Amino acid sequence: MLFSDSHILSTILFTPLVGAILMLFIPRTNANAHRLMGNLFGLLGLAVSLPLLWRFKFGAPDFQFQQRLDWIPSINAHYFLGIDGISFLMVMLTTVLGAIAILSSWSAIHKREKEYYILLLLLQTGMLGVFMSLDFVLFYVFWEVMLVPMYFLIGVWGSERRLYAAIKFFLYTLAGSVVMLLAILMIYFKVNTFDIREILMSPHAMFARDLQNWLFWGFFFAFAIKVPMFPFHTWLPDAHTEAPTAGSVILAGVLLKMGTYGFLRFSVPMFPDATMKFRWIMITLSLIGIIYGALVCMMQKDMKKLIAYSSVSHMGFCTLGIFALTPLGLSGSIIQQVNHGISTGALFLIVGVLYERRHTRLISEFGGLATPMPNFAAVYLIVTLSSLGMPLLNGFIGEFTILRGAFEVRWQWAAWGVIGVVLGAAYLLWLYQRVMFGNVTNPANEQLPDLNWREWTTIGTLILFAFWIGIYPKPLFDVLDKPVQQIVMRYDPSYYAPRNATLPLLDAAPAMASAPAAATPAPPETK
Amino acid sequence: MPGLLQLTLRDSNLIMPEVMLSFFGLGILMTDFLLGPREKKWNALTALLGVGFSGVTLWELRPLALQHDQRFNDAIVIDPFFIFFGFVFLAATAIVILISVRYLDVEDEHHGEYYALMLFATVGMMFLACGNDLVTLFIALETMAISFYVLSGFLRRDRRSNEAAVKYVLLGAFSSGILAYGFSLLYGMSGSTNLNAIAESLGQRPPGDLLVVIAILTVSVGVLFKVAAVPFHQWAPDVYEGAPTPISAYVSVASSAASFALLLRLFLGAFWPVRADWAPLITAVAVLSLTLGNLAALKQNNIKRMLAYSSIGHVGYILLGLVAGNKLGLQAMAFYIFVYAFFQAGAFAIVVVLRKKGVIGDEIEDLNGLIFRNPGAAVLMLIFLLSLAGIPPTAGFIGKLLIFWALVETGHYTLAVVAVLYILPAVYYYFRFVAAMFSREATDQRPPIISFGQWVALAAIVLVTLVAGIYPEPFLRLATYSILTPFGL
C-alpha cells in the first residue's frame, strides 16, 4: 500500500516530515539521539525513494505515480503529485543530497541539534514537494514553505553575518514568489484550473500572446532569483557563505534547481510564444552570468564565496541550455543541474572539511595541505576536475551537451560559453593550487588530520556519482528523452520528423556517442 | 398595524445571545461583592459561562437566520452574517478571558468589572452585527466603545494605560460625533432610520449627488476610525501599547471585527446602490493603510506597537476585499477577519505570557532567546507571526491568497501587485522578532510561566491557524455561509 504506484510519492514526501515530528518528542538535551534520528530519517528518506529507480518507466508520455485527491474543493485545489523524467531526477538528487547533507553535519553542528535536524528534515519535505506537485496551489505552498527552515538554518547555525544573510535570502526569494502567486491566480482566472498536468497536456497553447508575455515575466522573477540569474544573484554569495556546510550543500545542490526546474516545467512549455520572444534576453543574461560569475570567482579571498560565485557561472550554463530550446540543450541543462548538485555539493563539503579543522575559510590561511592530508588532496582534485568539466567526469557531459545544443542555434552562444568553461578551469585550479600545493606556510596546518570515514562516505558517494555520469550517462539521457521531446515539440514540431540525415550531430563527437543518440530520439512512432 | 412597535415574547428569543451576555455581566457585578480578594478569578469562569450560554443560544438561531428574519420593527436582522460574526466575537471574547486571568494576577488589578465590561462590549458588538437600523447601530457602537474606553484605562497606576484611555475617549468621541452627523444626513435624505429604506432612497438619487457623497464620507470617517484605517489610525498604536495587553488583543481583534461587521452592513446594505461614489474612497484608504501600516511597522521595537501598525496593514488587506466587491472578495474578507482574530490574538497572548513582575514584556529584547526559555511559546509565536506575514501553511496565507485572487478576478491588477509586494516589508518586520526569539541569547533567563487557561487559549488559536492553513475547506464554507445574506449582490 505504502509503495503502490499512487502512494509512493506521498511516502517519499512525508517520510522526512514524520521524522521531524517524532524528533519533537525527544528531549533537547539528548543530542546524540537527535543526530541518530536525523541520520536515520535522512537515510530512510533515501531508501523509500529507491523503488522509483526500477519502477519508473522511461519514455512514458505522461506523469507517473500520480496521486490526486481533493484538497480544497472550494477553490478547486487538489493534492496532486506526479513525476516525469525531469522531476524524477530532481527527486533523486534531493533525497541523495539530503541524506549526505545530514550525515555531513554529525560533527559540524554542536549547538541546538534538535532544531537543526528537525529543520533539515522539514526542508527536505518542502523541496521534494516542489518537484512532485502537479497542482499550482500545492506547488506554491511547498515553494514558500521551504523558505522558513532555510531561513533558520542560515540564521541560527551560520557564521558571523548570518542574520543579515538569512533575511536577505528570505526577502529576495519571497519577492519573486509573491509575483508568481499573482501569475498563478491569473492562470486560474483564464483556464479555470490549477491542474499543471492539464495545462501541460493540452495540445494547443492555452494563453493568448499578450497574456503569455505577462505570465512569463510573472514567473520569471521567481525562477530567475532562485537560479539565480544575473543580475538577481546578489543574495546567493551571502546565503551560501554564511550558511552551515549542510545548508550550503542543500542550497547549491537542490534549492537553485528549483529555479531551473520552474523554467522547464512552467515558463518554457506553457508560454512558448513569450519564451521565443524573450529568448534573447534569457540567453544574454545566462551568458553574462557565466562569464561574470567566473570573473568574480577569480577575485575571491573566501573559499566559500568563490564556490558560491562559481554557482552563478554554472547555473548560467543550465539556463543557456534551457533557452537554447534544442533537445541537446535541454537535456544537457538538466544533466548539468544534477552535475552541479554533485560537484558543487562536494566542493562545499570539502570546504566544510577544512572549516571544521581550522574554523576559517580564507584561502590565504591555507597552502601546501597536500602534505598533511594526502587523501584529501586526491579527493579534492577529483571534485575540482569534475566541477571544471574534465572528460570522464560528470561536468564535461553537461557542459559539452549544453554547448552543442546552443551551437545548433547560434555558434556565438557556444563561443561565449566556452570562455566560461576556460575561466572555470582557471579559477578552480588556481584555488586548488593555492590551497593544496607548495610548502606548508602556516604552522597551524602542519598537523591537520586527514579525512575520517564520515567524510569519505559523503564526498566519496558524490565522487562515485561523478564518475558514473562521466562514463556512462546514457540512463540519464534516456530518462530525459521523453520530457525533453515534449518540450521541443511545442517549439519545432518538425524537429523530430524523420530527417536524421540532416542532423550531423551524431557523428560529430565519438566520445559522446551515447549522449546524442539518446537525446536525438528515433521517429515518434516508436515511442 | 405597521409603524407601531409590536413585541411578542417570541421576539425576545432573537436577542437571547445578547440577553445572556448582559445577564451574566450583571451577575458578575453582583457576585463580585461576595468574592474575597483571592477568589476574584472565579469571575472569569462566570464570564466564560456567559459566553458559552450566549454561544448556545446563537447556535439555536441558525434556522431563523436562513429565513433572514427581521424583527423588532426591522431594527435587527437575524441572518448568517450575524451568526458568523457573533461566533467570531464570542470566540475572541473567550480567548481574551482565558489569557486575562494570570495577567490580572500579575498586575494585581483583579476586579469583577473587567469581565463585566468585556461582556458588555460583546453585547455591543453583537448588536453591531445584527443591527439594521441607524439608531440600533449607533447605540451598539457606543456600548462597545465606552466599554473599551474603560478597559483600556484599567491599569489605574500605569501612566501609559491612562494616556491610552484618554486618547481613545477623545478621538473616539470625536469620530462618533462625525458618524452621528452622517447618520442624521442619511435620515434626512430618506426619512427613515432603516437600512433597507435608506438603500432604496439612495438608489433613487442621481449618481454623484453631493449630499449622498457627504453622508457617505462622514459615515466612513466614523467607521474607518473604528477599524483603524489610515488616515484615522493615530489612536491605534498608543492604545495598543498602553492598554492592558489582553485588552489590546481584544481591541485589535474583536473591536475591529465588529467595526468591519458595521462597515459591511452599511456599505453592502445601505450604500450598495451608490457604489460608484465610495469605491475610490475605499480603494484609497486601503492602499494608504497598507502603505503606512507596513512601512511604519518596520521601525517598531515594541511588540504591541509593531502589532498595532501591522494591524493597520491587515485592515488594508481586508478592505481590498471590499474594493474587489465580488462574491470571492466578500468571502475573502469574512475568512480573513475570522482567522485574523485568532492569530492576532495569539501574538498578543504570547506578549501577555511574557509579562511578569517587574517586566512589561513588550519590547523586542523581552523576546530574546525565547526558544531557550520556553520553546513551546517560541514556536507558537513563530506560527502566529508566519500567519500574520502570510507564509504557508498558515491561515494567513489562505486569507491573503483569497484577497489577491478576488483582485485578479475583478481586474485590479495594479492593486494586486501593490498588495503582494507589501508582504515583503511585513516579513522583514515580523522576522526581526523571530530572529530575536531564535537567534539571540536570552537576556533574562527566567522562563515565562504559562497558566492552564493560557495554554487552552493558545492551543485553540494554533489549531485554527494551522488547520485553516492546511485544510481550509471548512473555514471557506463558513465564509461562504456568512455572506449568504442577499446584500446588494
Side-chain angles (χ1 to χ4, degrees), chain B residues 175-366:
Chain B
S175 79
S176 293
I178 298 177
L179 181 70
Y181 182 65
F183 278 2
S184 72
L185 285 177
L186 288 178
Y187 176 68
M189 275 186 286
S190 58
S192 166
T193 55
N194 185 280
L195 291 191
N196 305 353
I198 292 173
E200 207 171 300
S201 88
L202 285 187
Q204 287 159 1
R205 299 184 85 88
D209 187 12
L210 193 61
L211 201 54
V212 176
V213 173
I214 292 176
I216 290 178
L217 210 59
T218 44
V219 170
S220 306
V221 170
V223 179
L224 292 173
F225 172 87
K226 291 291 176 206
V227 298
V230 177
F232 314 105
H233 64 282
Q234 288 92 343
W235 60 274
D238 291 327
V239 170
Y240 283 28
E241 189 191 352
T245 313
I247 297 304
S248 311
Y250 203 31
V251 173
S252 83
V253 162
S255 157
S256 128
S259 312
F260 268 113
L262 170 65
L263 184 139
L264 289 175
R265 271 273 184 243
L266 288 172
F267 281 76
L268 298 178
F271 299 162
W272 191 254
V274 286
R275 184 157 180 262
D277 288 342
W278 53 261
L281 173 80
I282 295 293
T283 312
V285 169
V287 173
L288 282 176
S289 303
L290 274 178
T291 310
L292 192 129
N294 282 313
L295 296 186
L298 288 173
K299 282 278 175 196
Q300 304 303 323
N301 285 324
N302 180 293
I303 310 169
K304 285 158 83 178
R305 278 189 94 81
M306 181 277 283
L307 287 172
Y309 280 111
S310 86
S311 80
I312 296 171
H314 287 284
V315 166
Y317 280 115
I318 299 174
L319 284 176
L320 283 178
L322 185 61
V323 171
N326 58 353
K327 193 162 162 280
L328 186 63
L330 298 183
Q331 253 171 307
M333 288 180 87
F335 182 87
Y336 206 117
I337 291 169
F338 181 86
V339 293
Y340 174 76
F342 284 87
F343 50 74
Q344 173 86 349
F348 275 109
I350 299 292
V351 184
V352 171
V353 166
L354 292 173
R355 173 80 171 99
K356 18 181 200 288
K357 286 276 182 238
V359 180
I360 299 174
D362 60 355
E363 294 295 326
I364 189 165
E365 291 83 26
D366 295 319

Side-chain angles (χ1 to χ4, degrees), chain A residues 141-203:
Chain A
V141 166
F142 282 121
W143 178 274
E144 277 208 350
V145 152
M146 121 282 122
L147 294 179
V148 180
M150 200 68 221
Y151 167 86
F152 283 111
L153 286 177
I154 301 174
V156 175
W157 291 272
S159 32
E160 299 78 31
R161 292 165 70 233
R162 55 180 180 269
L163 282 178
Y164 167 77
I167 195 70
K168 187 170 179 184
F169 159 78
F170 201 144
L171 289 180
Y172 258 71
T173 37
L174 192 67
S177 319
V178 291
V179 178
M180 176 171 75
L181 178 62
L182 288 186
I184 289 175
L185 293 173
M186 193 67 204
I187 286 184
Y188 185 89
F189 182 50
K190 288 296 167 195
V191 298
N192 239 356
T193 179
F194 283 127
D195 192 327
I196 294 168
R197 178 178 166 274
E198 193 182 321
I199 300 172
L200 284 177
M201 293 286 163
S202 99

Side-chain angles (χ1 to χ4, degrees), chain B residues 31-59:
Chain B
T31 53
D32 189 39
F33 289 116
L34 308 175
L35 295 172
R38 303 195 135 271
E39 297 160 336
K40 295 279 189 195
K41 60 180 70 160
W42 294 109
N43 286 325
L45 192 67
T46 321
L48 275 180
L49 275 178
V51 171
F53 274 101
S54 176
V56 171
T57 47
L58 188 60
W59 184 253

Side-chain angles (χ1 to χ4, degrees), chain B residues 69-113:
Chain B
D69 210 353
Q70 302 197 7
R71 294 289 173 83
F72 288 98
N73 230 13
D74 289 355
I76 65 162
V77 49
I78 305 296
D79 54 8
F81 180 83
F82 164 61
I83 308 271
F84 172 82
F85 273 97
F87 277 114
V88 174
F89 305 147
L90 291 177
T93 311
I95 287 171
V96 174
I97 292 172
L98 284 172
I99 61 176
S100 290
V101 180
R102 224 191 83 77
Y103 184 85
L104 294 181
D105 268 350
V106 176
E107 294 286 355
D108 204 13
E109 290 280 4
H110 243 304
H111 301 288
E113 295 89 346

Side-chain angles (χ1 to χ4, degrees), chain A residues 266-282:
Chain A
F266 305 111
S267 303
V268 173
M270 288 183 187
F271 320 126
D273 296 331
T275 305
M276 281 313 274
K277 187 170 171 187
F278 301 121
R279 174 157 83 155
W280 64 274
I281 301 181
M282 302 296 126

